[in-house]
Amino acid sequence: MLNESAYALGANRSCIRDLFEYGRQRAAVVGEENVFDYSLGNPSIPSPPEVNETVHAILQDTDSLLVHGYTSAVGDYATRKAISDDLNARYGALTAPEDFFIGCGAAPELVAVFRALAIPGGELLAIAPYFPEYKPFAEEAGLTFQVVPPDVPSFQIDLDAVKRMITPNTQAILINSPNNPSGVVYTRETLIALRRVITEKIMEYGHTIYLIADEPYRELAYGVEVPFIPHIYSDTIICYSYSKSLSLPGERIGYIYVPGDATESKRLYAAIAGAARAAGHVCAPSLWQKVIARCAHLRPDLKSYDRNRKALYEGLTAMGYEMAKPDGAFYLFIKAPGGDANYFSECAKEKDLLLVPGDGFGCPGYFRICYCVSYEMIQRSLPVFAALMEEFREEE
Ligand code: PLP
């Protein structure tokens, strides 16, 4: 006998992975330069050079037993202090090293936070469009996953819908900004208005509702503010990752931040640490903790993402494609000509243009493109986008 829901998850590969594998197969047949793969969010800029230099330095100057040994379950103090100091310097925040749990990237961090908040009947509200893995994470944790419909066309937050959907069982609201898949950054005004809605509901229901901010893309913003959300709403738990900000997705390193002035802060932190422990997710990779202790202040060089973003946004908009302004992350979320994103993506696939339909993100009718790709591939793909648009215009 097997756990059938676990089996179903493992047996059915994600549509994004399927597309990516398909792209590899097609490249072998038609040539790498004739496949336009916009499926997968693997960073395409190298880590800042200081990261590799620091790895070498640590291997030279630190006792090997320390480099490869177990760390404290919640993470090395030096790592937590470096992150705390960096946030305090950047945002004028008052974080303390004790507020941080060092995790293996945003995915297991979210799982730990969901489990910590999973009381019987507890509900999690996610804002569409959202990262598809949220649903299995929440459901496996024991929370009921509820989706707030997208606020089209801006892809900010539909606050009336949030107001309607908060119930006495709502444990937390999950937000992701800069957003995967829309590339939108929630504005300070949106976040303040969200706080107002949550606070009203807390008064009505008399219990805390946490905001969970999933922030792997915090450093990927192009000339707009990404507010430090605990300064707007103190009951915010941040799940951060270095996967995208320092281009380290394979190293599995990030942190959870529980503000010292959050409701029941100490108990909340202990519940998260306990949930991580029960999931076997403690002692994040020791070498990478030591790297972060020395590199927490580094930021990515966004020039090549920004060039890609502009080329696609300007090129596709001029052809008549519609999308929200992509101010962050490395995604564009585009309205499918003809309205059916699955059909549109199938037609694109016939031209070896690989686009991800929005259904899995809770937003049918749109498709995602991931622009952490080469600029040359973008240039080669633009005529294909133009030809598709023409075909769909003719069909109308
Ligand atoms: N959250 C979002 C919105 C993501 O896009 C991703 C990865 O693409 C994750 C979480 C998981 O990131 P990590 O590699 O830190 O586990």
Side-chain angles (χ1 to χ4, degrees):
M1 296 263 279
L2 294 177
N3 174 329
E4 289 302 326
S5 68
Y7 168 76
L9 266 179
N12 298 315
R13 244 196 343 217
S14 84
C15 125
I16 298 175
R17 282 273 154 199
D18 273 347
L19 259 186
F20 175 72
E21 298 299 341
Y22 175 82
R24 296 298 80 227
Q25 286 162 16
R26 285 295 293 163
V29 178
V30 298
E32 194 73 51
E33 68 286 2
N34 296 314
V35 177
F36 316 106
D37 183 358
Y38 286 105
S39 64
L40 205 62
N42 222 354
S44 62
I45 56 171
S47 308
E50 292 92 331
V51 170
N52 285 358
E53 286 160 20
T54 305
V55 172
H56 288 289
I58 291 170
L59 292 175
Q60 295 291 330
D61 68 25
T62 309
D63 182 333
S64 164
L65 286 174
L66 263 182
V67 174
H68 302 301
Y70 287 123
T71 66
S72 149
V74 299
D76 269 341
Y77 187 82
T79 310
R80 294 185 285 141
K81 173 144 182 15
I83 296 167
S84 169
D85 288 349
D86 179 56
L87 290 177
N88 293 352
R90 273 175 91 183
Y91 298 111
L94 295 173
T95 73
E98 291 75 12
D99 303 338
F100 294 85
F101 178 95
I102 308 300
C104 303
E109 290 159 14
L110 289 164
V111 169
V113 172
F114 294 173
R115 285 180 172 216
L117 297 177
I119 58 169
E123 294 171 2
L124 176 73
L125 278 193
I127 315 291
Y130 60 85
F131 180 54
E133 298 299 284
Y134 291 160
K135 186 168 158 31
F137 293 170
E139 289 177 349
E140 282 296 311
L143 288 168
T144 302
F145 186 71
Q146 306 277 17
V147 178
V148 176
D151 183 25
V152 284
S154 73
F155 291 113
Q156 293 286 316
I157 300 178
D158 181 343
L159 294 159
D160 289 334
V162 173
K163 199 187 262 182
R164 272 197 315 275
M165 291 185 69
I166 293 179
T167 75
N169 293 324
T170 304
Q171 284 286 86
I173 300 176
L174 171 60
I175 58 175
N176 165 229
S177 170
N179 184 265
N180 175 8
S182 70
V184 162
V185 179
Y186 294 154
T187 62
R188 181 171 283 278
E189 292 68 39
T190 295
L191 294 165
I192 290 173
L194 178 63
R195 174 188 63 198
R196 230 175 269 131
V197 169
I198 301 175
T199 311
E200 238 175 64
K201 287 290 174 182
I202 290 175
M203 307 276 268
E204 186 178 339
Y205 296 138
H207 73 86
T208 306
I209 298 173
Y210 291 103
L211 203 53
I212 304 170
D214 176 28
E215 297 196 335
Y217 302 97
R218 189 201 298 150
E219 322 305 348
L220 276 63
Y222 309 94
V224 296
E225 181 199 19
V226 180
F228 184 63
I229 301 174
H231 280 174
I232 295 174
Y233 186 67
S234 59
D235 279 337
T236 298
I237 305 162
I238 292 180
C239 293
Y240 185 88
S241 165
Y242 294 95
S243 292
K244 321 286 172 166
S245 62
L246 295 184
S247 295
L248 295 172
E251 308 300 355
R252 313 311 302 146
I253 190 81
Y255 64 78
I256 302 170
Y257 169 55
V258 179
D261 58 352
T263 306
E264 289 199 283
S265 174
K266 290 269 178 294
R267 279 171 48 77
L268 173 62
Y269 182 95
I272 292 170
R277 176 180 165 194
H281 158 227
V282 290
C283 269
S286 168
L287 170 62
W288 289 97
Q289 289 196 45
K290 290 169 179 52
V291 172
I292 297 304
R294 300 186 195 187
C295 293
H297 61 286
L298 294 180
R299 307 284 171 258
D301 176 355
L302 298 177
K303 278 200 283 300
S304 74
Y305 287 159
D306 198 20
R307 184 161 86 132
N308 288 356
R309 179 182 77 105
K310 285 183 179 137
L312 279 163
Y313 181 65
E314 286 162 16
L316 296 179
T317 306
M319 290 173 204
Y321 288 95
E322 293 170 42
M323 70 206 84
K325 183 100 191 302
D327 285 325
F330 40 49
Y331 304 105
L332 297 176
F333 202 49
I334 303 170
K335 196 169 176 188
D340 181 343
N342 287 296
Y343 178 61
F344 184 82
S345 302
E346 275 307 313
C347 296
K349 197 171 164 190
E350 282 170 19
K351 298 183 188 305
D352 292 315
L353 175 61
L354 307 184
L355 315 170
V356 181
D359 301 49
F361 302 103
C363 193
Y366 284 75
F367 62 88
R368 184 188 81 171
I369 70 181
C370 192
Y371 58 78
C372 38
V373 296
S374 76
Y375 185 69
E376 291 67 34
M377 189 195 97
I378 292 174
Q379 295 302 327
R380 285 196 304 275
S381 74
L382 286 175
V384 185
F385 276 108
L388 264 170
M389 182 55 109
E390 273 317 301
E391 284 175 21
F392 274 74
R393 281 212 176 105
E394 280 162 20
E395 272 182 28
E396 269 172 15

